[in-house]
Amino acid sequence: MDVIAVDWSGAAHGAGDHIWLAHVRRGELIDLRGGRHRSAVVDDLIARRLSCPDGLCVGLDFSFSFPEWFVRRHACRTIDDVWGLAAHEGERWLADCTPPFWGRPGHRRPDLPEHLRRCERHAPVAGIRAKSTFQIGGAGSVGTGSLRGMPHLRRLREAGFSIWPFHPASPWTVMEIYPRLLTGPVHKSSHEHRARYIVGSAWPLAPAFAAHMVDSEDAFDAAISALVMDRHRSELALLEPTSDPVALLEGDVWQPSS
């Protein structure tokens, strides 16, 4: 099984500067590239699926859904309904930034039944907590990338990927990842700390790839996420769909067992 991790971006302009794809095969980072927009990266994932007959697991760094109350308020019965809603309404939500969305100038955090999905409430690392999908502006916001990512999940599903944990298991699987859970408590925004982390790791890295990881936090997140996923590929091969009614609507974040 091959493993790919994508550090995503929801930027309207210049997204390619922040989107990085890392491809690992049997413990070796074989590709690390940025500079492409969301659609081009998804096209690439679909093409790579065909070149990985032994299986491909893809980790994407954005929220695959919303808190359950929001999903039910919009009468979505399945995750496919959620992605269709995001495709239809996402750009309007981003433009208006009306509750439950917030974070743009003049749009403060509203009172909501819940800001986080269940999986996000249980995924802190070294005191750093997950951000709400409803936050579409401000430091650390993930909502914009998520709203502009969910429609692409429909494309990946139509191309033959199973989207975990919603769909039956498949050799070609896409799942939601949270890089902080995979990199651990490193000061990722520091050039010096990224370099120290890489030097102290046991992974064999081509000099060009290591240089990208030192220069770019986004490249670092993609590469380390893919390498950690590959280290646990025996777990990835055993992924099963959920029957939990909350997870079927909200999704889940994959994390290794140890």
Side-chain angles (χ1 to χ4, degrees):
M1 173 191 289
D2 284 27
V3 170
I4 289 176
V6 178
D7 196 69
W8 192 256
S9 172
H13 306 287
D17 295 336
H18 300 285
I19 297 176
W20 282 81
L21 180 150
H23 189 157
V24 174
R25 177 175 293 154
R26 292 186 293 276
E28 180 184 358
L29 182 63
I30 63 172
D31 195 13
L32 179 62
R33 65 178 67 190
R36 297 175 299 173
H37 202 266
R38 290 177 288 274
S39 294
V41 171
V42 172
D43 289 342
D44 189 11
L45 293 174
I46 292 170
R48 292 185 193 229
R49 173 189 173 276
L50 298 176
S51 66
C52 297
D54 294 328
L56 174 63
C57 188
V58 178
L60 298 177
D61 175 26
F62 61 82
S63 302
F64 284 11
S65 188
F66 304 94
E68 182 186 17
W69 69 265
F70 180 82
V71 172
R72 295 195 182 282
R73 179 171 293 183
H74 285 272
C76 294
R77 300 177 61 185
T78 69
I79 193 62
D80 298 278
D81 294 338
V82 175
W83 298 336
L85 177 68
H88 188 262
E89 299 289 345
E91 290 302 321
R92 182 179 66 81
W93 290 338
L94 290 170
D96 295 347
C97 194
T98 54
F101 299 98
W102 62 280
R104 301 282 174 81
H107 297 269
R108 296 185 176 182
R109 187 177 189 268
D111 291 328
L112 300 175
E114 178 56 68
H115 279 264
L116 299 176
R117 295 175 294 154
R118 183 177 63 186
C119 59
E120 294 161 342
R121 297 196 296 273
H122 298 287
V125 178
I128 300 173
R129 300 199 64 86
K131 300 287 187 177
S132 170
T133 308
F134 297 129
Q135 184 182 351
I136 59 174
S141 60
V142 299
T144 302
S146 301
L147 290 175
R148 290 183 170 143
M150 291 178 200
H152 291 289
L153 296 173
R154 300 174 75 191
R155 282 192 60 208
L156 291 167
R157 176 63 175 157
E158 291 166 358
F161 282 97
S162 172
I163 313 297
W164 182 83
F166 311 105
H167 301 130
S170 162
W172 304 279
T173 302
V174 173
M175 63 187 190
E176 181 181 342
I177 61 172
Y178 181 23
R180 176 59 73 178
L181 285 172
L182 305 180
T183 64
V186 57
H187 184 27
K188 295 189 300 181
S189 61
S190 166
H191 183 284
E192 178 184 353
H193 284 244
R194 292 196 302 271
R196 188 183 307 161
Y197 184 106
I198 291 166
V199 169
S201 75
W203 288 300
L205 296 170
F209 295 158
H212 285 317
M213 295 164 66
V214 171
D215 290 340
S216 166
E217 181 179 349
D218 303 307
F220 178 90
D221 273 351
I224 298 301
S225 295
L227 287 162
V228 172
M229 288 167 59
D230 178 78
R231 180 184 287 169
H232 296 271
R233 62 182 179 273
S234 60
E235 296 178 33
L236 298 178
L238 298 175
L239 286 174
E240 293 290 342
T242 186
S243 59
D244 179 84
V246 175
L248 280 170
L249 292 179
E250 290 192 347
D252 203 352
V253 177
W254 179 80
Q255 53 185 304
S257 60
S258 60

